[in-house]
């Protein structure tokens, strides 16, 4: 058993501790929540790439603030439908659809007079922001137009300020940046400690997942990788998560078109790739020197030889097809750098089997 507590690996999990978002929490508090509690309504738009903690930050704040109501825009065709739903959630089911905005806000005003100032969160609002300009106008200016004590927090992946009209009044902008590799590492270390059995993973696995996730900058992506890698290892009846479990997880999330890419390679190119795979069994990356030696060895069993320029040409082709990736790493205390090759999005064990199969056929 590797996963002993599955909940923290679920992407809808709201953690006890939210790392690196203290400034965002403070910004929402000071621009929306504090003013709302003293009767001032403001609006804010939170935007940022997927997995940057937009939803979690708001849900985190909801734990201590009962005035916040959360809705997901994807369930509604427009803002009016969302507000009608809101009225029924707050105890005033509307008997017929198609209320006017003045009707809606007049009912809302009477609810808020008992309930107190309210903060409405509309998550996943990207398409509403583009399509429902009339609804947005009524919602965001409701405090002036209808005297409604309502503040709105809109959440979107895109930055809407470039296309949004000015008629909505002043809106605070809060951008959530992508997480760095180090930040992602901290986030998944916490999740791993909460959910996985001790001794079933090590630091280098967490580091590997963080490195793969860093270009995307998404905590969601990293947590999903950790979860899938853990279940993959359980499925193999292994006692611990290995590098190939992470690669399998990537290939699951990001279905890799291995077959069609491999079909673009000739026998020599397949040989180089096979050599790299055999070196990567327990390593995350290998340097070119090791690749050259391994090509010699593997080549012998297939009766093929490749010289150095040929190997380098193949490496460039494999890179351009995104089958391998490379980075330059310094060689310890010497001041030179060497090229390191890695394969991150497909398990090398499976890739090796496929390559041997193809070489045998051509
Ligand atoms: N700062 C953080 N500390 C701890 N966990 C985090 C942090 N940021 C995000 N997470 C976790 O990452 C996952 C994704 O975060 P969240 O759903 O909040 O992202 P999002 O910005 O709303 O993404 P999307 O745009 O795809 O909805 C969640 O499981 C969340 O708990
Ligand atoms: Mg979200």
């Amino acid at each position: 058993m590797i996963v002993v507590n599955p909940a923290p690996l679920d992407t809808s999990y709201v953690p006890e501790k939210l790392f690196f978002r203290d400034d965002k929490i403070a910004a929402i508090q000071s621009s929306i929540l504090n003013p709302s509690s003293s009767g001032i309504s403001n609006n804010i738009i939170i935007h940022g790439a997927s997995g940057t903690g937009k939803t979690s930050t708001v849900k985190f704040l909801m734990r201590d603030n009962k005035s916040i109501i959360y809705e997901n825009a994807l369930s509604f065709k427009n803002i009016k439908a969302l507000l009608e739903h809101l009225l029924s959630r707050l105890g005033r089911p509307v008997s017929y659809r198609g209320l006017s905005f003045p009707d809606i806000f007049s009912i809302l005003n009477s609810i808020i007079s008992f309930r107190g100032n309210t903060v409405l969160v509309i998550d996943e609002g990207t398409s509403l922001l583009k399509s429902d300009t009339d609804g947005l106008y009524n919602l965001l200016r409701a405090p002036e137009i209808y005297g409604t004590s309502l503040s709105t927090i809109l959440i979107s992946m895109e930055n809407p300020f470039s296309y949004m009209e000015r008629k909505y009044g002043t809106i605070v902008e809060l951008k959530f940046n992508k997480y760095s590799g180090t930040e992602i590492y901290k986030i998944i270390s916490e999740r791993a400690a909460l959910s996985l059995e001790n001794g079933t993973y090590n630091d280098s696995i967490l580091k590997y997942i963080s490195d793969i996730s860093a270009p995307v900058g998404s905590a969601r992506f990293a947590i999903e990788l950790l979860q899938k890698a853990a279940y993959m290892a359980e499925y193999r009846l292994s006692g611990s998560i290995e590098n190939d479990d992470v690669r399998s997880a990537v290939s699951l999330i990001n279905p890799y078109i291995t077959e069609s890419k491999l079909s673009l390679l000739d026998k020599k190119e397949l040989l180089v790739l096979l050599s790299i795979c055999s070196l990567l069994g327990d390593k995350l990356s290998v340097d070119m020197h090791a690749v050259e030696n391994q090509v010699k060895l593997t080549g012998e069993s297939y009766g093929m030889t490749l010289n150095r320029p040929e190997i380098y040409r193949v490496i460039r082709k494999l890179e351009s097809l995104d089958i391998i990736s490379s980075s330059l790493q310094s060689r310890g205390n010497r001041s030179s750098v060497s090229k390191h090759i890695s394969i991150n999005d497909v398990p090398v064990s499976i890739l090796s089997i496929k390559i041997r199969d193809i070489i045998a056929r051509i």
Side-chain angles (χ1 to χ4, degrees), residues 54-56 70 123-124 155 220:
K54 302 181 296 296
T55 302
S56 321
Y70 176 93
D123 201 354
E124 318 261 9
I155 303 179
R220 174 195 300 288

Side-chain angles (χ1 to χ4, degrees), residues 8-15 17-21 48-58 123-124 155-157 176 179 183 187-188 190-191 218-221 223:
L9 294 180
D10 196 292
T11 46
S12 63
Y13 179 82
V14 182
K17 278 179 267 174
L18 207 54
F19 299 107
F20 319 112
R21 289 299 182 231
S50 176
T52 52
K54 302 181 296 296
T55 302
S56 321
T57 300
V58 165
D123 201 354
E124 318 261 9
I155 303 179
S156 159
M157 291 216 287
F176 277 49
Y179 291 116
E183 289 175 332
I187 292 171
I188 59 169
E190 170 87 358
R191 295 299 169 93
S218 162
R220 174 195 300 288
F221 183 71
I223 293 168

Side-chain angles (χ1 to χ4, degrees), residues 28-29 32-33 36 57-71 86 89-90 115 117-122 151 153:
I28 299 170
Q29 198 85 47
I32 299 289
L33 303 182
S36 168
T57 300
V58 165
K59 294 226 161 145
F60 182 80
L61 284 162
M62 286 174 73
R63 287 192 172 150
D64 295 325
N65 192 317
K66 300 293 167 231
S67 74
I68 308 175
I69 303 177
Y70 176 93
E71 292 288 356
L86 180 69
R89 260 185 78 184
L90 295 174
R115 190 180 188 275
N117 294 338
T118 298
V119 178
L120 172 63
V121 174
I122 303 185
S151 298
I153 300 179

